[in-house]
Amino acid sequence: MLDTASCVTDAVYRLGFENSSELTSSSWVTQAELYQFADDAVRKLAWKHGLFIVYDNTISVTAVAGAVYTLPAAHVFTLLAWLAYSGGPVLLRLTTVRDLWALDGAWPAAAAAPPVRASLDAGAVGTITLYPPPNASSTLCQVCQEAPSTVASGASTIQLPLVLQDYFTYAMLAGARGKESDAAVPEMAAHYRERVAMYEAVFDHLWGPGQ
């Protein structure tokens, strides 16, 4: 478990403050802003590298509700999906809307039947579309990439290995030195961003790019 509060402590010292108590609402950078820079980095890891994998079974499927269902607010991408029926699970094949049109030119008007496919781009952003539309109740189960909760003071922990602590420290330093203020040092901000990019190159090697 990584605690970005430790990153704040490290970044504060490198930014020329004696400790976090010197960060006030009138200082050129605040503690809230440092946590915001860390949260921005978390969103980037979630979207670019897909580091946060969860199991979700919160979506109830019914024939009455139709084919389109709203995904969890933190959803980034679905890696695997299936419908859990009383008689057992039925795997759904993830399919783009382009392939749905190639498969069935009248797919939006398909008759209700046991779904065999799921599409993330056939409906509005933040929804998943089942094809054919379901004709019975079940639960949509997914293995997903999601974005974690907002990083902030009092909610500073992230489910990542401690070895990534420097990544968030450099993200804070890059944000602080790149912020428009009397203490801005663009060349140092660029240097810290390069360090962040070096870590991300390692992430690509270890975990691969996100979806």
Side-chain angles (χ1 to χ4, degrees):
M1 179 79 75
L2 188 155
D3 191 346
T4 55
S6 299
C7 302
V8 170
T9 300
D10 190 10
V12 162
Y13 178 76
R14 298 196 199 189
L15 292 172
F17 298 95
E18 185 173 339
N19 52 55
S20 297
S21 64
E22 292 189 2
L23 296 180
T24 67
S25 58
S26 60
S27 58
W28 62 270
V29 65
T30 66
Q31 181 171 277
E33 287 176 321
L34 293 181
Y35 278 116
Q36 181 61 61
F37 298 142
D39 187 67
D40 291 342
V42 165
R43 306 302 124 194
K44 188 175 182 181
L45 291 182
W47 283 92
K48 185 177 179 182
H49 300 282
L51 295 191
F52 306 97
I53 309 298
V54 301
Y55 167 67
D56 181 83
N57 64 347
T58 62
I59 299 176
S60 296
V61 172
T62 67
V64 176
V68 182
Y69 294 85
T70 301
L71 291 163
H75 179 272
V76 173
F77 191 78
T78 296
L79 301 172
L80 183 67
W82 66 96
L83 292 176
Y85 292 102
S86 58
V90 174
L91 190 66
L92 297 174
R93 184 171 181 177
L94 295 176
T95 306
T96 64
V97 67
R98 179 187 64 183
D99 290 339
L100 282 180
W101 283 112
L103 177 72
D104 179 358
W107 72 264
V116 294
R117 295 175 183 266
S119 177
L120 295 174
D121 63 348
V125 174
T127 66
I128 188 168
T129 302
L130 305 183
Y131 171 85
N135 63 347
S137 298
S138 62
T139 300
L140 176 62
C141 302
Q142 302 177 86
V143 176
C144 301
Q145 296 170 347
E146 289 193 356
S149 301
T150 300
V151 177
S153 178
S156 56
T157 57
I158 311 171
Q159 292 284 352
L160 287 175
L162 286 174
V163 70
L164 302 188
Q165 181 170 308
D166 280 350
Y167 172 81
F168 289 97
T169 299
Y170 288 128
M172 291 179 182
L173 294 172
R177 288 306 185 188
K179 175 188 174 185
E180 186 174 346
S181 71
D182 291 339
V185 185
E187 61 272 23
M188 287 305 300
H191 170 77
Y192 291 133
R193 284 194 293 268
E194 285 297 321
R195 293 198 174 215
V196 167
M198 289 175 64
Y199 272 93
E200 290 173 352
V202 175
F203 301 160
D204 273 340
H205 176 72
L206 293 176
W207 291 292
Q211 299 297 324

